[in-house]
Amino acid sequence: MDLTTGWFVAVAVLWVGYLALEGFDFGVGMLLPVLGRDDTDRRVLINTIGPVWDGNEVWLLAAVGAMFAAFPGWYATVLSSVYLPVLAIVIALVVRGVAFEFRHRRDDRRWRAVWDAAIVAGSVVPAAGWGAILATLVAGLPVDASGVAAASVGLVLTPTAVLGATVTVLLCLAHGAVFVSLKTSGDIRARARRVAGVMLPLAATTVVVGAVALAASARSGASIASMAVAAIALAAAAVAVRRGREGRAFAATGLAIAGTVAAVFLALFPDVVPSTLDPRWSLTAARTASSPYTLTIITWAALVLLPAVVAYQAWTYWVFRKRISTKNIPAPVTVGK
């Protein structure tokens, strides 16, 4: 495997890692008003992702950074074409992070309600936004003969983009519900299992619809097979949840997200940005890649840094592996009084 292909695979793996890990964060955030009947319940939900959500976002930085370093032409075309949706996602992620830190600063119901709404919005927008962008990327961008694509908000408002957004939102909701059932005990766990029982079939249905859409557009058989694996994983997760095997269910929903995201990159390669104006104008991995020297340098950097990041994150998950419940939540303490 040459360096260009290797780095295309690496970018795909980083996006898979980001959405599989951050996906349950988004799901928990979106389910905050559904599973959290009072402030104590909501604090339990936030505490399930509290130790890991910011570490999960490192994968986004790595994925975008890898695109920029290894495929600057790909990075420039995609980011400039969907600049406003990406900006909305970034703002939502910032607002969500601020909300996690600020909701407990005052012992006031309305204050917490505002920040809880920010958490929900800060989870919905990225979950839907990334799905719309990935689906749009598979459908193609209006790349002209010079390799430039026109920017337009309408690119992520097409039926294909709406389908992509629906798929990722439902996947994140199912993934988040299973995660909560894995990480909690008592009434919250029971509610999370019920919600997962509803979300998993819905997510599986949209994944099947996505697979049919890929098949209709004559995409690669490998991408369709990857979507099929995702649908089967969701069915397996539904069975595991009913049997109280939340660990297996969580692994299955993670596999479902991985299969769905992998299908995007399998559908693209060897292109990175298909042109909707003329297939001859499509941007390929080879055309947008950095020089062999640059790819060699960043390969050595990745071999040194990536294992350390993975090891640290695995350690974090291990340390905070135990279930929590409302019994573990102390009385609220207002900062600054």
Side-chain angles (χ1 to χ4, degrees):
M1 182 185 298
D2 61 274
L3 283 176
T4 298
T5 303
W7 270 101
F8 180 89
V9 173
V11 169
V13 169
L14 290 170
W15 277 106
V16 165
Y18 167 64
L19 290 171
L21 293 174
E22 189 86 298
F24 68 78
D25 286 355
F26 294 151
V28 174
M30 288 187 283
L31 291 171
L32 195 64
V34 177
L35 298 177
R37 294 182 175 177
D38 55 32
D39 184 60
T40 303
D41 285 353
R42 288 188 284 274
R43 290 173 66 193
V44 170
L45 294 170
I46 292 172
N47 284 353
T48 62
I49 61 175
V52 297
W53 71 267
D54 49 354
N56 293 341
E57 289 190 352
V58 171
W59 288 81
L60 174 61
L61 300 177
V64 174
M67 286 181 65
F68 174 77
F71 301 97
W74 185 12
Y75 170 90
T77 301
V78 173
L79 269 293
S80 61
S81 299
V82 292
Y83 178 79
L84 289 179
V86 170
L87 179 61
I89 290 172
V90 171
I91 292 173
L93 291 173
V94 171
V95 169
R96 188 178 68 125
V98 171
F100 285 142
E101 299 297 329
F102 272 70
R103 76 175 303 277
H104 67 278
R105 298 285 175 170
R106 288 173 57 183
D107 187 14
D108 181 81
R109 180 177 299 179
R110 286 180 295 180
W111 171 269
R112 289 193 297 266
V114 168
W115 292 114
D116 287 347
I119 291 173
V120 174
S123 301
V124 172
V125 172
W130 289 128
I133 290 171
L134 290 174
T136 299
L137 188 59
V138 173
L141 297 175
V143 179
D144 60 25
S146 62
V148 177
S152 172
V153 177
L155 291 173
V156 293
L157 298 178
T158 64
T160 298
V162 172
L163 174 60
T166 303
V167 169
T168 51
V169 166
L170 288 175
L171 281 172
C172 290
L173 284 169
H175 200 32
V178 171
F179 178 76
V180 172
S181 70
L182 173 66
K183 286 290 295 177
T184 61
S185 59
D187 290 341
I188 297 179
R189 179 189 179 192
R191 292 198 295 271
R193 290 178 62 183
R194 288 195 295 270
V195 170
V198 174
M199 292 301 170
L200 286 165
L202 291 176
T205 300
T206 58
V207 167
V208 170
V209 173
V212 172
L214 281 177
S217 61
R219 294 297 179 180
S220 71
S223 64
I224 299 169
S226 186
M227 293 288 279
V229 169
I232 294 170
L234 290 168
V239 173
V241 166
R242 284 198 297 269
R243 294 179 177 177
R245 302 294 182 89
E246 289 98 343
R248 294 181 182 180
F250 183 67
T253 52
L255 176 61
I257 292 179
T260 303
V261 179
V264 171
F265 292 90
L266 289 169
L268 285 174
F269 193 77
D271 292 339
V272 289
V273 183
S275 174
T276 57
L277 303 179
D278 191 325
R280 296 173 300 174
W281 298 341
S282 298
L283 299 181
T284 64
R287 181 180 172 185
T288 59
S290 297
S291 67
Y293 178 76
T294 299
L295 293 178
T296 301
I297 294 297
I298 62 176
T299 297
W300 283 108
L303 290 174
V304 173
L305 297 175
L306 189 58
V309 172
V310 172
Y312 172 77
Q313 193 157 23
W315 175 79
T316 303
Y317 276 90
W318 176 255
V319 169
F320 295 98
R321 67 189 182 279
K322 293 183 178 180
R323 294 180 184 268
I324 61 175
S325 69
T326 54
K327 298 179 181 178
N328 303 116
I329 303 298
V333 177
T334 303
V335 177
K337 286 190 176 182

Short mmCIF file of all heavy atoms in Angstrom, two decimals, residues 53-104:
data_model
loop_
_atom_site.label_atom_id
_atom_site.label_comp_id
_atom_site.label_asym_id
_atom_site.label_seq_id
_atom_site.Cartn_x
_atom_site.Cartn_y
_atom_site.Cartn_z
N TRP A 53 -15.89 13.06 27.32
CA TRP A 53 -16.38 13.76 26.13
C TRP A 53 -15.31 14.64 25.49
O TRP A 53 -15.21 14.70 24.25
CB TRP A 53 -17.63 14.59 26.46
CG TRP A 53 -17.37 15.81 27.31
CD1 TRP A 53 -17.43 15.90 28.66
CD2 TRP A 53 -16.99 17.12 26.84
NE1 TRP A 53 -17.12 17.17 29.08
CE2 TRP A 53 -16.84 17.94 27.98
CE3 TRP A 53 -16.76 17.66 25.58
CZ2 TRP A 53 -16.47 19.28 27.88
CZ3 TRP A 53 -16.39 19.00 25.49
CH2 TRP A 53 -16.26 19.79 26.63
N ASP A 54 -14.51 15.32 26.29
CA ASP A 54 -13.50 16.20 25.70
C ASP A 54 -12.38 15.39 25.05
O ASP A 54 -11.81 15.79 24.03
CB ASP A 54 -12.94 17.18 26.73
CG ASP A 54 -12.53 16.51 28.03
OD1 ASP A 54 -12.79 15.30 28.19
OD2 ASP A 54 -11.96 17.20 28.91
N GLY A 55 -12.07 14.23 25.62
CA GLY A 55 -11.08 13.36 24.99
C GLY A 55 -11.58 12.81 23.66
O GLY A 55 -10.80 12.66 22.71
N ASN A 56 -12.87 12.54 23.57
CA ASN A 56 -13.44 12.07 22.31
C ASN A 56 -13.30 13.10 21.20
O ASN A 56 -13.15 12.75 20.02
CB ASN A 56 -14.92 11.71 22.50
CG ASN A 56 -15.11 10.50 23.41
OD1 ASN A 56 -14.20 9.71 23.62
ND2 ASN A 56 -16.31 10.36 23.95
N GLU A 57 -13.36 14.37 21.56
CA GLU A 57 -13.25 15.42 20.54
C GLU A 57 -11.85 15.53 19.97
O GLU A 57 -11.65 16.12 18.90
CB GLU A 57 -13.70 16.76 21.13
CG GLU A 57 -15.20 16.85 21.36
CD GLU A 57 -15.66 18.25 21.71
OE1 GLU A 57 -14.80 19.12 21.93
OE2 GLU A 57 -16.89 18.46 21.77
N VAL A 58 -10.86 14.96 20.66
CA VAL A 58 -9.50 14.95 20.12
C VAL A 58 -9.46 14.23 18.77
O VAL A 58 -8.69 14.58 17.88
CB VAL A 58 -8.53 14.29 21.12
CG1 VAL A 58 -7.16 14.07 20.50
CG2 VAL A 58 -8.40 15.15 22.37
N TRP A 59 -10.34 13.23 18.62
CA TRP A 59 -10.38 12.50 17.36
C TRP A 59 -10.82 13.39 16.21
O TRP A 59 -10.39 13.19 15.06
CB TRP A 59 -11.31 11.30 17.49
CG TRP A 59 -10.73 10.21 18.34
CD1 TRP A 59 -10.73 10.15 19.71
CD2 TRP A 59 -10.05 9.04 17.90
NE1 TRP A 59 -10.09 9.01 20.14
CE2 TRP A 59 -9.66 8.31 19.05
CE3 TRP A 59 -9.73 8.53 16.64
CZ2 TRP A 59 -8.97 7.11 18.96
CZ3 TRP A 59 -9.05 7.33 16.56
CH2 TRP A 59 -8.68 6.63 17.70
N LEU A 60 -11.67 14.37 16.48
CA LEU A 60 -12.05 15.32 15.43
C LEU A 60 -10.85 16.16 15.00
O LEU A 60 -10.61 16.36 13.81
CB LEU A 60 -13.17 16.23 15.93
CG LEU A 60 -13.58 17.37 15.00
CD1 LEU A 60 -14.08 16.84 13.66
CD2 LEU A 60 -14.65 18.25 15.65
N LEU A 61 -10.10 16.64 15.98
CA LEU A 61 -8.91 17.42 15.66
C LEU A 61 -7.92 16.59 14.85
O LEU A 61 -7.31 17.07 13.89
CB LEU A 61 -8.24 17.91 16.95
CG LEU A 61 -9.09 18.82 17.85
CD1 LEU A 61 -8.32 19.17 19.12
CD2 LEU A 61 -9.49 20.08 17.11
N ALA A 62 -7.78 15.31 15.24
CA ALA A 62 -6.86 14.44 14.52
C ALA A 62 -7.34 14.19 13.09
O ALA A 62 -6.55 14.18 12.14
CB ALA A 62 -6.70 13.12 15.28
N ALA A 63 -8.65 13.95 12.93
CA ALA A 63 -9.20 13.68 11.60
C ALA A 63 -9.05 14.87 10.67
O ALA A 63 -8.59 14.74 9.52
CB ALA A 63 -10.66 13.27 11.71
N VAL A 64 -9.42 16.05 11.16
CA VAL A 64 -9.31 17.26 10.33
C VAL A 64 -7.84 17.60 10.10
O VAL A 64 -7.44 17.98 8.98
CB VAL A 64 -10.04 18.44 11.01
CG1 VAL A 64 -9.80 19.73 10.23
CG2 VAL A 64 -11.53 18.15 11.10
N GLY A 65 -7.00 17.44 11.12
CA GLY A 65 -5.58 17.70 10.96
C GLY A 65 -4.94 16.77 9.96
O GLY A 65 -4.07 17.18 9.16
N ALA A 66 -5.34 15.50 9.96
CA ALA A 66 -4.80 14.54 9.00
C ALA A 66 -5.22 14.90 7.58
O ALA A 66 -4.42 14.79 6.64
CB ALA A 66 -5.27 13.13 9.35
N MET A 67 -6.47 15.33 7.40
CA MET A 67 -6.91 15.77 6.07
C MET A 67 -6.09 16.95 5.59
O MET A 67 -5.65 17.00 4.44
CB MET A 67 -8.39 16.15 6.11
CG MET A 67 -9.36 14.99 6.20
SD MET A 67 -11.09 15.54 6.19
CE MET A 67 -11.23 16.27 4.54
N PHE A 68 -5.85 17.91 6.48
CA PHE A 68 -5.09 19.10 6.12
C PHE A 68 -3.64 18.77 5.76
O PHE A 68 -3.11 19.29 4.77
CB PHE A 68 -5.12 20.09 7.29
CG PHE A 68 -4.25 21.30 7.07
CD1 PHE A 68 -4.66 22.34 6.24
CD2 PHE A 68 -3.01 21.42 7.69
CE1 PHE A 68 -3.86 23.45 6.03
CE2 PHE A 68 -2.21 22.52 7.49
CZ PHE A 68 -2.64 23.55 6.65
N ALA A 69 -3.03 17.88 6.53
CA ALA A 69 -1.61 17.56 6.30
C ALA A 69 -1.42 16.63 5.12
O ALA A 69 -0.49 16.82 4.32
CB ALA A 69 -1.01 16.94 7.56
N ALA A 70 -2.28 15.60 5.00
CA ALA A 70 -2.06 14.59 3.97
C ALA A 70 -2.75 14.93 2.64
O ALA A 70 -2.23 14.58 1.58
CB ALA A 70 -2.56 13.24 4.47
N PHE A 71 -3.90 15.61 2.71
CA PHE A 71 -4.67 15.92 1.50
C PHE A 71 -5.14 17.36 1.54
O PHE A 71 -6.34 17.63 1.72
CB PHE A 71 -5.87 14.97 1.37
CG PHE A 71 -5.52 13.52 1.31
CD1 PHE A 71 -5.58 12.74 2.47
CD2 PHE A 71 -5.11 12.93 0.13
CE1 PHE A 71 -5.25 11.40 2.43
CE2 PHE A 71 -4.78 11.59 0.08
CZ PHE A 71 -4.84 10.81 1.23
N PRO A 72 -4.23 18.32 1.40
CA PRO A 72 -4.64 19.73 1.50
C PRO A 72 -5.69 20.14 0.47
O PRO A 72 -6.55 20.97 0.76
CB PRO A 72 -3.33 20.49 1.31
CG PRO A 72 -2.41 19.52 0.65
CD PRO A 72 -2.79 18.18 1.15
N GLY A 73 -5.63 19.55 -0.72
CA GLY A 73 -6.63 19.87 -1.74
C GLY A 73 -8.01 19.39 -1.35
O GLY A 73 -9.02 20.07 -1.58
N TRP A 74 -8.09 18.22 -0.75
CA TRP A 74 -9.36 17.66 -0.26
C TRP A 74 -9.90 18.53 0.86
O TRP A 74 -11.08 18.92 0.86
CB TRP A 74 -9.10 16.24 0.23
CG TRP A 74 -10.29 15.45 0.66
CD1 TRP A 74 -11.60 15.76 0.47
CD2 TRP A 74 -10.26 14.19 1.35
NE1 TRP A 74 -12.40 14.78 1.00
CE2 TRP A 74 -11.61 13.80 1.54
CE3 TRP A 74 -9.25 13.37 1.82
CZ2 TRP A 74 -11.96 12.62 2.19
CZ3 TRP A 74 -9.58 12.19 2.46
CH2 TRP A 74 -10.92 11.82 2.64
N TYR A 75 -9.04 18.85 1.81
CA TYR A 75 -9.42 19.68 2.95
C TYR A 75 -9.96 21.03 2.48
O TYR A 75 -11.03 21.47 2.92
CB TYR A 75 -8.20 19.87 3.85
CG TYR A 75 -8.35 20.90 4.94
CD1 TYR A 75 -8.84 20.54 6.20
CD2 TYR A 75 -8.00 22.23 4.74
CE1 TYR A 75 -8.97 21.47 7.21
CE2 TYR A 75 -8.14 23.17 5.74
CZ TYR A 75 -8.62 22.79 6.98
OH TYR A 75 -8.75 23.72 7.97
N ALA A 76 -9.23 21.68 1.56
CA ALA A 76 -9.63 23.02 1.12
C ALA A 76 -10.95 22.99 0.39
O ALA A 76 -11.82 23.85 0.61
CB ALA A 76 -8.53 23.60 0.23
N THR A 77 -11.15 22.00 -0.48
CA THR A 77 -12.38 21.94 -1.27
C THR A 77 -13.60 21.68 -0.40
O THR A 77 -14.62 22.36 -0.50
CB THR A 77 -12.26 20.86 -2.35
OG1 THR A 77 -11.16 21.15 -3.20
CG2 THR A 77 -13.53 20.79 -3.19
N VAL A 78 -13.49 20.69 0.48
CA VAL A 78 -14.64 20.34 1.32
C VAL A 78 -14.97 21.44 2.31
O VAL A 78 -16.13 21.86 2.43
CB VAL A 78 -14.37 19.01 2.06
CG1 VAL A 78 -15.49 18.73 3.06
CG2 VAL A 78 -14.24 17.86 1.08
N LEU A 79 -13.95 21.93 3.03
CA LEU A 79 -14.21 22.94 4.05
C LEU A 79 -14.72 24.25 3.47
O LEU A 79 -15.55 24.93 4.06
CB LEU A 79 -12.94 23.18 4.88
CG LEU A 79 -12.75 22.31 6.14
CD1 LEU A 79 -13.81 22.64 7.18
CD2 LEU A 79 -12.78 20.83 5.81
N SER A 80 -14.23 24.61 2.28
CA SER A 80 -14.70 25.86 1.68
C SER A 80 -16.10 25.71 1.11
O SER A 80 -16.89 26.66 1.11
CB SER A 80 -13.73 26.32 0.59
OG SER A 80 -13.64 25.36 -0.44
N SER A 81 -16.45 24.51 0.64
CA SER A 81 -17.77 24.30 0.04
C SER A 81 -18.88 24.28 1.09
O SER A 81 -19.99 24.73 0.83
CB SER A 81 -17.79 23.00 -0.75
OG SER A 81 -16.85 23.03 -1.79
N VAL A 82 -18.58 23.73 2.25
CA VAL A 82 -19.60 23.62 3.32
C VAL A 82 -19.14 24.42 4.54
O VAL A 82 -19.32 24.00 5.68
CB VAL A 82 -19.88 22.15 3.67
CG1 VAL A 82 -20.57 21.45 2.52
CG2 VAL A 82 -18.59 21.41 4.04
N TYR A 83 -18.60 25.59 4.28
CA TYR A 83 -18.01 26.40 5.35
C TYR A 83 -19.04 26.75 6.42
O TYR A 83 -18.78 26.60 7.62
CB TYR A 83 -17.40 27.67 4.77
CG TYR A 83 -16.82 28.60 5.81
CD1 TYR A 83 -15.58 28.35 6.37
CD2 TYR A 83 -17.53 29.72 6.25
CE1 TYR A 83 -15.04 29.18 7.33
CE2 TYR A 83 -17.01 30.56 7.21
CZ TYR A 83 -15.76 30.29 7.74
OH TYR A 83 -15.24 31.12 8.71
N LEU A 84 -20.23 27.21 6.02
CA LEU A 84 -21.22 27.64 7.00
C LEU A 84 -21.73 26.48 7.85
O LEU A 84 -21.86 26.62 9.08
CB LEU A 84 -22.36 28.37 6.31
CG LEU A 84 -22.02 29.76 5.75
CD1 LEU A 84 -23.22 30.38 5.06
CD2 LEU A 84 -21.53 30.68 6.86
N PRO A 85 -22.06 25.32 7.26
CA PRO A 85 -22.45 24.18 8.12
C PRO A 85 -21.34 23.76 9.09
O PRO A 85 -21.63 23.44 10.25
CB PRO A 85 -22.75 23.07 7.11
CG PRO A 85 -23.15 23.80 5.87
CD PRO A 85 -22.29 25.03 5.84
N VAL A 86 -20.10 23.78 8.62
CA VAL A 86 -18.99 23.43 9.52
C VAL A 86 -18.86 24.46 10.63
O VAL A 86 -18.63 24.11 11.80
CB VAL A 86 -17.67 23.31 8.73
CG1 VAL A 86 -16.48 23.20 9.68
CG2 VAL A 86 -17.70 22.10 7.81
N LEU A 87 -19.04 25.73 10.30
CA LEU A 87 -19.00 26.78 11.32
C LEU A 87 -20.10 26.57 12.35
O LEU A 87 -19.87 26.73 13.56
CB LEU A 87 -19.14 28.15 10.66
CG LEU A 87 -19.15 29.36 11.60
CD1 LEU A 87 -17.83 29.45 12.38
CD2 LEU A 87 -19.40 30.66 10.83
N ALA A 88 -21.29 26.19 11.89
CA ALA A 88 -22.39 25.93 12.82
C ALA A 88 -22.05 24.77 13.75
O ALA A 88 -22.35 24.80 14.95
CB ALA A 88 -23.67 25.62 12.04
N ILE A 89 -21.39 23.74 13.21
CA ILE A 89 -20.99 22.59 14.03
C ILE A 89 -19.98 23.02 15.09
O ILE A 89 -20.08 22.65 16.26
CB ILE A 89 -20.41 21.47 13.14
CG1 ILE A 89 -21.52 20.84 12.30
CG2 ILE A 89 -19.71 20.42 13.98
CD1 ILE A 89 -21.01 19.86 11.25
N VAL A 90 -18.99 23.80 14.68
CA VAL A 90 -17.96 24.26 15.62
C VAL A 90 -18.58 25.10 16.74
O VAL A 90 -18.27 24.92 17.93
CB VAL A 90 -16.87 25.06 14.88
CG1 VAL A 90 -15.92 25.71 15.87
CG2 VAL A 90 -16.10 24.15 13.93
N ILE A 91 -19.47 26.02 16.37
CA ILE A 91 -20.14 26.84 17.39
C ILE A 91 -20.94 25.96 18.34
O ILE A 91 -20.93 26.16 19.57
CB ILE A 91 -21.04 27.90 16.72
CG1 ILE A 91 -20.19 28.92 15.97
CG2 ILE A 91 -21.92 28.59 17.76
CD1 ILE A 91 -20.99 29.90 15.14
N ALA A 92 -21.64 24.97 17.80
CA ALA A 92 -22.44 24.07 18.63
C ALA A 92 -21.55 23.30 19.60
O ALA A 92 -21.91 23.12 20.77
CB ALA A 92 -23.23 23.11 17.75
N LEU A 93 -20.40 22.83 19.14
CA LEU A 93 -19.49 22.09 20.02
C LEU A 93 -18.96 22.99 21.14
O LEU A 93 -18.81 22.55 22.28
CB LEU A 93 -18.33 21.51 19.20
CG LEU A 93 -18.68 20.38 18.23
CD1 LEU A 93 -17.47 20.02 17.37
CD2 LEU A 93 -19.19 19.16 18.98
N VAL A 94 -18.66 24.25 20.80
CA VAL A 94 -18.19 25.19 21.81
C VAL A 94 -19.28 25.45 22.84
O VAL A 94 -19.04 25.42 24.06
CB VAL A 94 -17.72 26.50 21.15
CG1 VAL A 94 -17.44 27.56 22.21
CG2 VAL A 94 -16.49 26.27 20.29
N VAL A 95 -20.50 25.70 22.36
CA VAL A 95 -21.62 25.97 23.27
C VAL A 95 -21.86 24.78 24.18
O VAL A 95 -22.12 24.93 25.38
CB VAL A 95 -22.88 26.31 22.46
CG1 VAL A 95 -24.12 26.32 23.35
CG2 VAL A 95 -22.72 27.67 21.78
N ARG A 96 -21.79 23.58 23.63
CA ARG A 96 -22.01 22.38 24.44
C ARG A 96 -20.96 22.25 25.54
O ARG A 96 -21.26 21.96 26.70
CB ARG A 96 -21.99 21.13 23.55
CG ARG A 96 -22.38 19.85 24.27
CD ARG A 96 -22.39 18.68 23.30
NE ARG A 96 -21.05 18.36 22.86
CZ ARG A 96 -20.50 17.14 22.96
NH1 ARG A 96 -21.20 16.15 23.46
NH2 ARG A 96 -19.28 16.92 22.53
N GLY A 97 -19.69 22.49 25.17
CA GLY A 97 -18.63 22.42 26.19
C GLY A 97 -18.80 23.46 27.28
O GLY A 97 -18.60 23.16 28.46
N VAL A 98 -19.19 24.67 26.90
CA VAL A 98 -19.44 25.72 27.90
C VAL A 98 -20.61 25.32 28.80
O VAL A 98 -20.58 25.54 30.01
CB VAL A 98 -19.72 27.06 27.19
CG1 VAL A 98 -20.19 28.11 28.19
CG2 VAL A 98 -18.47 27.55 26.46
N ALA A 99 -21.64 24.74 28.20
CA ALA A 99 -22.82 24.35 28.98
C ALA A 99 -22.47 23.31 30.04
O ALA A 99 -22.99 23.37 31.17
CB ALA A 99 -23.90 23.81 28.05
N PHE A 100 -21.62 22.36 29.71
CA PHE A 100 -21.20 21.36 30.70
C PHE A 100 -20.56 22.02 31.92
O PHE A 100 -20.74 21.59 33.06
CB PHE A 100 -20.21 20.38 30.08
CG PHE A 100 -20.82 19.37 29.15
CD1 PHE A 100 -20.17 18.97 28.01
CD2 PHE A 100 -22.07 18.82 29.43
CE1 PHE A 100 -20.72 18.04 27.15
CE2 PHE A 100 -22.65 17.88 28.57
CZ PHE A 100 -21.96 17.49 27.42
N GLU A 101 -19.81 23.09 31.68
CA GLU A 101 -19.08 23.75 32.75
C GLU A 101 -19.93 24.75 33.53
O GLU A 101 -19.70 24.98 34.71
CB GLU A 101 -17.85 24.48 32.18
CG GLU A 101 -16.84 23.56 31.50
CD GLU A 101 -16.23 22.57 32.46
OE1 GLU A 101 -16.09 22.90 33.65
OE2 GLU A 101 -15.90 21.45 32.02
N PHE A 102 -20.95 25.32 32.88
CA PHE A 102 -21.68 26.44 33.49
C PHE A 102 -23.00 26.05 34.14
O PHE A 102 -23.52 26.81 34.96
CB PHE A 102 -21.94 27.53 32.44
CG PHE A 102 -20.82 28.53 32.31
CD1 PHE A 102 -19.61 28.16 31.76
CD2 PHE A 102 -20.98 29.83 32.75
CE1 PHE A 102 -18.58 29.06 31.63
CE2 PHE A 102 -19.94 30.74 32.64
CZ PHE A 102 -18.73 30.36 32.08
N ARG A 103 -23.58 24.89 33.78
CA ARG A 103 -24.92 24.59 34.27
C ARG A 103 -24.97 24.46 35.79
O ARG A 103 -26.01 24.71 36.41
CB ARG A 103 -25.49 23.34 33.60
CG ARG A 103 -24.93 22.03 34.12
CD ARG A 103 -25.63 20.83 33.51
NE ARG A 103 -27.05 20.80 33.69
CZ ARG A 103 -27.66 20.34 34.79
NH1 ARG A 103 -26.95 19.91 35.82
NH2 ARG A 103 -28.99 20.32 34.86
N HIS A 104 -23.86 24.09 36.42
CA HIS A 104 -23.86 23.91 37.88
C HIS A 104 -23.38 25.15 38.64
O HIS A 104 -23.24 25.12 39.85
CB HIS A 104 -22.96 22.72 38.25
CG HIS A 104 -21.51 22.96 37.98
ND1 HIS A 104 -20.96 22.80 36.71
CD2 HIS A 104 -20.49 23.35 38.78
CE1 HIS A 104 -19.68 23.07 36.77
NE2 HIS A 104 -19.36 23.42 38.00
#
